[in-house]
Amino acid sequence: MASVSLSEAEKVYIVHGVQEDLRVDGRGCEDYRCVEVETDVVSNTSGSARVKLGHTDILVGVKAEMGTPKLEKPNEGYLEFFVDCSANATPEFEGRGGDDLGTEIANTLYRIFNNKSSIDLRSLCISPQEHCWVLYVDVLLLECGGNLFDAISIAVKAALFNTRIPRVRVLEDEEGSKDIELSDDPYDCMRLSVDNVPCIVTLCKIGCRHVVDATLQEEACSLASLLVSVTSRGVVTCLRKVGKGSLDPESIFEMMESSKRVGKVLHMSLQSVLHKEESLGPKRPKVGFLG
């Protein structure tokens, strides 16, 4: 993961500021930086989104393809996650430097979506045991400037909101063989409900307090972080501790409570932006991920 080197004096300055609820950029401990969200930025996908959070830049594309349901879940479709850490994001990703981080992020996304409430996977089933929609979610890290997991989760939710899946009809002939017919109308499509899709809120323990949306400099002052996946209703669906340091039970409880408060506001703001952008229709000005 991208990192920076700080002197001891710089670390002391950051830590003391956090204790006073005043961070280097003027935010409080539970304040996010400005998040830029844009959907429908890649033309050859079923849905896409770009999220810029500080100096972190994420691009997510979703492709819907037909596949066969898994044996253990014959009535459901499923999601597949792929994460690519671009060498342009940070020099540390050159060669195979980003492979481990990419695998870690993909595994975290699998854990978050490994429950029935996040996405209605039954709606992705076309005919039980035979055909279903498989959503391939491709995550590209364009730039790393701290707080990767939060930015990625926001981008994934925005891309799934933007995803449009063609409607299909299953036709059966007299002999019982089935044929699948896709609708020709581009507006005749199925949308996914993302109301229960969680977002990750990462809380970094710095000194005796914790902060959300940490910068690279703040991450360098933190020995332990807690990744909390929270729904729009403030329900915690997944927890994961990262870093070499330890967290006492009281700190974990406080961090979870913070994640619920912050998560609710984050979801509300994201939904508002997504619905506002969609209401502008196809004529809305597009910046694109190269803008």
Side-chain angles (χ1 to χ4, degrees):
M1 194 176 291
S3 59
V4 292
S5 296
L6 297 178
S7 67
E8 285 304 313
E10 287 174 312
K11 287 183 179 180
V12 168
Y13 179 73
I14 290 173
V15 171
H16 283 188
V18 169
Q19 303 315 307
E20 301 296 326
D21 195 23
L22 184 62
R23 294 155 78 175
V24 175
D25 53 11
R27 290 181 291 151
C29 288
E30 292 190 359
D31 294 338
Y32 264 82
R33 288 167 289 181
C34 178
V35 185
E36 295 177 30
V37 180
E38 187 181 9
T39 59
D40 199 22
V41 289
V42 185
S43 59
N44 61 341
T45 60
S46 304
S48 59
R50 170 186 170 263
V51 166
K52 199 163 172 43
L53 176 60
H55 291 292
T56 296
D57 204 349
I58 308 294
L59 180 68
V60 174
V62 180
K63 278 195 173 182
E65 293 185 8
M66 244 179 248
T68 307
K70 294 180 178 178
L71 287 173
E72 64 273 20
K73 295 176 180 176
N75 299 315
E76 298 178 3
Y78 56 95
L79 282 72
E80 294 280 4
F81 294 97
F82 300 94
V83 182
D84 182 14
C85 303
S86 169
N88 295 327
T90 171
E92 293 161 46
F93 289 165
E94 287 182 9
R96 299 181 65 86
D99 287 1
D100 290 343
L101 176 61
T103 303
E104 181 188 350
I105 293 169
N107 288 339
T108 302
L109 291 171
Y110 277 120
R111 284 184 63 187
I112 289 173
F113 284 89
N114 188 25
N115 60 71
K116 293 181 179 179
S117 58
S118 293
I119 288 282
D120 181 15
L121 297 176
R122 286 178 174 269
S123 67
L124 298 176
C125 182
I126 298 168
S127 57
Q129 298 179 334
E130 294 178 350
H131 302 96
C132 71
W133 286 110
V134 182
L135 301 182
Y136 292 97
V137 183
D138 294 306
V139 180
L140 176 61
L141 277 58
L142 297 169
E143 191 178 355
C144 295
N147 202 20
L148 266 184
F149 285 91
D150 294 29
I152 289 169
S153 70
I154 293 169
V156 168
K157 180 166 183 173
L160 289 172
F161 174 84
N162 181 240
T163 298
R164 286 157 173 77
I165 303 168
R167 288 207 182 272
V168 295
R169 288 193 305 161
V170 180
L171 306 174
E172 193 169 344
D173 60 20
E174 295 173 356
E175 297 173 0
S177 60
K178 293 179 180 177
D179 193 22
I180 291 176
E181 184 181 90
L182 267 73
S183 173
D184 295 333
D185 185 355
Y187 295 100
D188 185 20
C189 55
M190 183 177 75
R191 299 285 300 275
L192 295 168
S193 171
V194 297
D195 293 342
N196 293 323
V197 171
C199 282
I200 295 174
V201 177
T202 303
L203 302 110
C204 291
K205 189 75 183 289
I206 299 177
C208 299
R209 300 190 68 166
H210 53 266
V211 300
V212 302
D213 186 22
T215 61
L216 281 178
Q217 290 77 13
E218 289 171 334
E219 287 179 356
C221 300
S222 174
L223 291 176
S225 301
L226 197 66
L227 270 61
V228 186
S229 105
V230 189
T231 68
S232 56
R233 294 185 178 89
V235 178
V236 174
T237 62
C238 183
L239 273 178
R240 182 167 162 251
K241 186 215 151 241
V242 293
K244 300 174 183 176
S246 60
L247 294 170
D248 60 88
E250 190 175 339
S251 290
I252 293 174
F253 178 76
E254 289 174 0
M255 291 163 99
M256 285 176 64
E257 291 303 307
S258 291
S259 70
K260 291 177 187 177
R261 286 194 299 273
V262 174
K264 281 183 179 179
V265 177
L266 180 63
H267 278 288
M268 203 180 301
S269 302
L270 178 60
Q271 288 282 23
S272 172
V273 168
L274 292 174
H275 287 297
K276 184 178 179 182
E277 188 183 50
E278 190 175 51
S279 68
L280 297 174
K283 294 182 180 180
R284 69 179 173 87
K286 290 187 180 182
V287 176
F289 69 96
L290 294 174

